[in-house]
Amino acid sequence: MRRYGKHTDEDDIRTRPNRRGNRPRTNIRPKHEDAAEGVVLTVDRGRLTCLVEGRTIVAMKARELGRKAAVVGDRVALVGDLSGTKDTLARIVRIEKRTSVLRRTADDDDPYERVVVANADQLAIVTALADPEPRPRLIDRCLVAAYDGGLSPLLVMTKSDLAPPDELLELYGALDIPYVVTSREELENGDAADRVREHLDGKVTAFVGHSGVGKTTLVNALVSEELRRETGRVNAVTGRGRHTTTSALALPLTGAAGWVVDTPGVRSFGLAHIDPSRVIHAFPDLEPGTEGCPRACSHDEPDCALDEWVAEGHADPARLYSLRRLLATRERKEGD
């Protein structure tokens, strides 16, 4: 055994190395003040394609962001290799505050909230008038998510050559939602895209819809040919469309300023994350009438002050009916 005495010097003493490294730990994070600004265009298995100063680069999330995830539409700060050349990888070091968020859950019993798109101005809800049949409950749920997330809704009805839009328009007339009606022929010759484009100019618009309604076909008509995505057909037996869009993707409009975000086709739109008290903000003509409501009023109960507010002529009864239908959509299945 080696012994240390008074003649031992520092070189004779072995110190146990720090297994976690010799650098002192600190809670101070770099500010990255020189980071470049970018926008997330799509996310694929942990790799994020971003637009930075007119070029696309691939990046990954920096460790210091923890569990905070970036989604399509997020404005981010990036460092590292920003050249955009093949096999280069930048780092996202900051996610800026969002102005709007489109969120959904898999179903109403799923507590896990999924952010679909960030910072969009508008939600285009695409529905076919036939083949497949319209699903008003799904449209209602998309409207609730739009109002809750701070997006303005736009209703786009396709395949008007197969069925008229009158019944659906009557159902949503009291909501004063902008809408566009298109046919398959108009979609092929470009007339439909031109009318839809008028509502998209200067905005970031997320497109959502049930599989098979023609959502991706419409998006393809709005963007340049080299950016177009694969489309599918409706199954003749089940009446359902095939999922061809598997991830959200932001694409620049052609013929106008703005962006479209194509999202995967949905067969359900869960609202487990929605606070019903926020939906009333989308009804400015009804909101003042809630001042006399009891605490935690559902706006569909005997003591709700909105009934008296409407009876006194302050708002259209059809608007109150629409509000209550949207609020009740969390309690009903989409096929009801």
Side-chain angles (χ1 to χ4, degrees):
M1 177 181 291
R2 185 173 184 178
R3 297 183 180 275
Y4 300 104
K6 61 181 180 180
H7 299 295
T8 304
D9 60 24
E10 292 181 356
D11 292 335
D12 292 321
I13 301 176
R14 295 181 180 179
T15 58
R16 181 173 296 176
N18 183 354
R19 293 183 179 179
R20 295 185 179 180
N22 295 321
R23 295 180 61 186
R25 299 185 65 182
T26 176
N27 291 325
I28 300 175
R29 300 296 186 188
K31 295 183 178 180
H32 298 295
E33 295 177 349
D34 59 343
E37 297 179 356
V39 177
V40 178
L41 300 182
T42 192
V43 182
D44 182 18
R45 291 170 290 186
R47 294 293 186 265
L48 300 93
T49 301
C50 304
L51 183 68
V52 180
E53 298 177 352
R55 61 185 180 276
T56 56
I57 67 167
V58 178
M60 62 180 296
K61 185 184 69 172
R63 183 177 299 176
E64 60 245 43
L65 290 179
R67 294 187 177 182
K68 188 174 183 181
V71 302
V72 173
D74 264 325
R75 292 185 286 270
V76 295
L78 303 100
V79 298
D81 193 330
L82 305 179
S83 65
T85 55
K86 185 178 179 181
D87 297 327
T88 59
L89 193 64
R91 284 189 303 130
I92 293 176
V93 294
R94 188 168 60 249
I95 301 172
E96 307 296 351
K97 184 177 180 180
R98 294 164 175 167
T99 58
S100 68
V101 179
L102 177 65
R103 302 171 295 171
R104 63 179 286 256
T105 55
D107 54 54
D108 290 342
D109 299 322
D110 182 6
Y112 181 66
E113 172 187 315
R114 296 162 175 82
V115 178
V116 182
V117 180
N119 301 317
D121 304 299
Q122 187 170 233
L123 179 64
I125 305 168
V126 185
T127 180
L129 294 166
D131 189 32
E133 294 296 316
R135 294 174 58 184
R137 296 290 76 78
L138 179 60
I139 298 173
D140 287 351
R141 286 167 171 263
C142 293
L143 287 172
V144 170
Y147 292 141
D148 178 76
L151 290 79
S152 300
L154 170 68
L155 187 58
V156 181
M157 290 166 277
T158 63
K159 305 182 184 181
S160 62
D161 50 305
L162 300 180
D166 306 68
E167 186 176 343
L168 206 59
L169 287 175
E170 184 178 357
L171 185 61
Y172 294 99
L175 292 174
D176 296 324
I177 302 172
Y179 67 87
V180 183
V181 180
T182 70
S183 67
R184 290 178 295 183
E185 181 181 354
E186 291 173 323
L187 199 57
E188 292 174 359
N189 63 29
D191 291 344
D194 291 339
R195 295 208 310 277
V196 173
R197 192 178 284 109
E198 294 177 4
H199 294 271
L200 312 183
D201 192 13
K203 301 175 182 177
V204 177
T205 304
F207 278 68
V208 66
H210 183 253
S211 301
V213 299
K215 172 179 59 63
T216 299
T217 301
L218 178 57
V219 169
N220 282 344
L222 295 166
V223 303
S224 59
E225 186 173 354
E226 64 269 18
L227 297 177
R228 292 173 183 172
R229 313 184 81 179
E230 181 186 358
T231 60
R233 296 181 178 180
V234 176
N235 188 300
V237 177
T238 65
R240 293 181 174 181
R242 179 172 62 91
H243 289 295
T244 54
T245 302
T246 58
S247 60
L249 174 64
L251 300 164
L253 276 170
T254 57
W259 289 76
V260 295
V261 182
D262 190 18
T263 66
V266 295
R267 290 182 180 146
S268 65
F269 206 104
L271 300 176
H273 62 287
I274 296 292
D275 180 355
S277 66
R278 293 198 295 261
V279 179
I280 187 65
H281 299 324
F283 293 78
D285 51 335
L286 296 176
E287 193 168 11
T290 63
E291 293 181 1
C293 287
R295 187 175 182 180
C297 180
S298 67
H299 304 312
D300 192 14
E301 54 190 67
D303 294 333
C304 179
L306 286 176
D307 290 294
E308 183 177 354
W309 176 264
V310 170
E312 292 174 351
H314 297 294
D316 187 343
R319 291 278 289 170
L320 179 57
Y321 170 78
S322 295
L323 168 67
R324 288 175 170 168
R325 190 183 78 235
L326 293 182
L327 291 173
T329 195
R330 295 183 74 247
E331 311 299 328
R332 300 200 303 265
K333 299 296 184 182
E334 290 169 21
D336 291 350

